Amino acid sequence: MLTLTNAEARRVFLDRHRLSETPQGAASGDDLLEMIESLGFVQLDSINTVARAHDLILFSRRPRYRPEALKKLYEKDRKLFEHWTHDAAVIPMRFYPQWELRRRRDAERLKSRWSKDRREGFEKQFQTVLDQIREHGPVCSSDVGKDEARGSGGWWDWHPSKTALEYLWRSGALCVVGREGFQKRYDLTERVLEEHLCDPSNTLHTAEVINWCCDEALARLSFGTHGELAAFWAHVTPAEAKAWCEAECDAGRLEQVQITCADGSVKLAYARPGLADDPALGIEPTNRLRILSPFDPALRDRKRAERLFGFNYRIEVFVPEAQRTFGYYVFPILQGDRLVGRVDMKAFRDEDVLRVRGLWSEGNIRWGKARQAAFEAELERIKRLAGVSGIEFEDGWQRGSAQHHLG
């Protein structure tokens, strides 16, 4: 049985996530679409302490990227659609047929769950909402149900028509066609998509979707457990992924390998035959220091990131300030094949400054002059994305080892 060393596993993993190559190149149009297709999807997130997650994910791989390029690809060119993987994401439009299983399962699951968890009666608003969109065009949630009681704005306080909008989107009758600020705009799917994408006769069988999901997840992970394959797109169940892996192994199209973790332990995973000859094993990742989004595809699976990189990371947005170990929104720092630190920083746009509040190094990483220079160079690049012109370091910003704080 093949055993990958930890360094080899990191190389293959980073290569698949487009983090081995030097961050450069075109970042709009078809070039940007190719990058997103390579990643599979890009998670959307509203938090904008420095830049929104989707923008930083793309910027970290192509520093020429600007948010307008994604907006054009999504809203004007219709090369992307928005739906859910493990969270809200923009996804290449050519993958749209593969989401039929997700839409069908969401239709069943959400109707039951939301009837209990959200405002009652949202099903009664389906036709009213559809008729309003058909007659007046795309709407935001603030445009519907104007006579319905509204709460504080949390998901638990969705009014019935807002809930209807979300349900009709998740189940396929509506598409999200863009955002105003970060508020979704919905339109009829039949008006948005090409006819062949809406044709029921083109619906894929469940087995076809399971095969696609597992195969395409494995292509982007290079190796993984059946649970990791199921979680990648979050369409199929772990049991379905496990059955797929077993069938592929029986057919000789999949094999088990051993992956050496950062702590020296070994974990079994599935991989395609020939992993030992993967070209990525001979590619040394660029030494360019990069600040990543907490929602970067390479870090989305926190447990996997900890196994491969020894990087224990938990986002603390919902942790009370007094109980946070690091900060509200802390960014991982990648250099070479190692996660070398994490930084708490925020763009104060009214002051035109990016302020570094705290930096922690990882493990036995030494934060010397060369790494500090590389860090400052990355801040210079990121400040343009953040929309500010200055950089400031708060007193006491160097906080020592993250492991010391983690205990």
Side-chain angles (χ1 to χ4, degrees), residues 114-341:
W114 287 0
S115 294
K116 299 174 183 176
D117 295 348
R118 311 208 176 186
R119 294 192 181 273
E120 296 178 357
F122 73 91
E123 302 100 320
K124 298 177 182 177
Q125 301 304 315
F126 288 168
Q127 195 58 51
T128 300
V129 165
L130 290 170
D131 289 345
Q132 180 178 344
I133 295 172
R134 186 170 284 109
E135 184 175 350
H136 299 289
V139 301
C140 294
S141 61
S142 57
D143 299 321
V144 298
K146 291 183 180 292
D147 59 343
E148 296 169 9
R150 283 157 163 77
S152 62
W155 66 263
W156 57 90
D157 269 330
W158 285 2
H159 56 82
S161 292
K162 160 65 174 173
T163 310
L165 276 177
E166 285 289 299
Y167 180 86
L168 291 167
W169 165 52
R170 295 280 292 272
S171 57
L174 300 178
C175 278
V176 174
V177 292
R179 290 176 178 255
E180 295 175 3
F182 210 69
Q183 189 178 42
K184 293 191 287 286
R185 287 186 293 112
Y186 308 80
D187 200 356
L188 300 175
T189 296
E190 64 205 51
R191 287 203 301 225
V192 176
L193 301 186
E194 295 178 12
E195 187 175 349
H196 70 94
L197 293 173
C198 302
D199 187 345
S201 66
N202 292 331
T203 299
L204 298 173
H205 296 296
T206 298
E208 293 178 284
V209 178
I210 291 171
N211 180 70
W212 183 90
C213 285
C214 294
D215 183 52
E216 293 291 328
L218 188 60
R220 290 166 176 82
L221 294 174
S222 68
F223 53 83
T225 66
H226 70 267
E228 289 170 343
L229 298 186
F232 187 87
W233 307 103
H235 283 16
V236 304
T237 67
E240 288 169 335
K242 183 178 182 180
W244 180 86
C245 289
E246 291 172 348
E248 290 292 287
C249 283
D250 290 343
R253 294 188 293 266
L254 205 63
E255 62 186 18
Q256 286 196 308
V257 297
Q258 295 185 125
I259 305 299
T260 306
C261 303
D263 65 2
S265 63
V266 173
K267 186 172 180 66
L268 284 174
Y270 292 102
R272 291 297 187 192
L275 182 59
D277 300 316
D278 195 296
L281 294 172
I283 300 173
E284 184 175 352
T286 175
N287 198 46
R288 166 89 159 259
L289 185 146
R290 278 179 280 187
I291 295 171
L292 303 181
S293 165
F295 300 110
D296 193 279
L299 302 172
R300 178 189 65 79
D301 187 333
R302 308 291 191 214
K303 292 181 179 179
R304 186 179 173 101
E306 188 166 1
R307 286 201 308 272
L308 283 180
F309 299 97
F311 188 69
N312 182 335
Y313 182 88
R314 303 291 181 270
I315 194 142
E316 298 183 280
V317 167
F318 301 111
V319 177
E321 185 172 2
Q323 298 175 26
R324 291 174 191 150
T325 303
F326 298 105
Y328 173 78
Y329 199 83
V330 173
F331 300 83
I333 304 172
L334 176 72
Q335 188 173 32
D337 70 346
R338 304 181 71 180
L339 287 158
V340 298

Side-chain angles (χ1 to χ4, degrees), residues 291 345 356 375-383 391 393:
I291 295 171
M345 61 182 185
V356 177
F375 174 59
E376 291 179 12
E378 177 73 343
L379 293 178
E380 287 290 333
R381 289 184 285 267
I382 281 182
K383 75 179 186 183
I391 298 170
F393 293 84

Side-chain angles (χ1 to χ4, degrees), residues 68-80 93 176-179 185 192:
E68 295 78 15
L70 182 64
K71 186 176 180 67
K72 180 178 184 296
L73 203 62
Y74 175 21
E75 299 184 14
K76 182 179 179 181
D77 300 340
R78 299 284 180 228
K79 296 292 182 69
L80 304 169
M93 186 63 78
V176 174
V177 292
R179 290 176 178 255
R185 287 186 293 112
V192 176

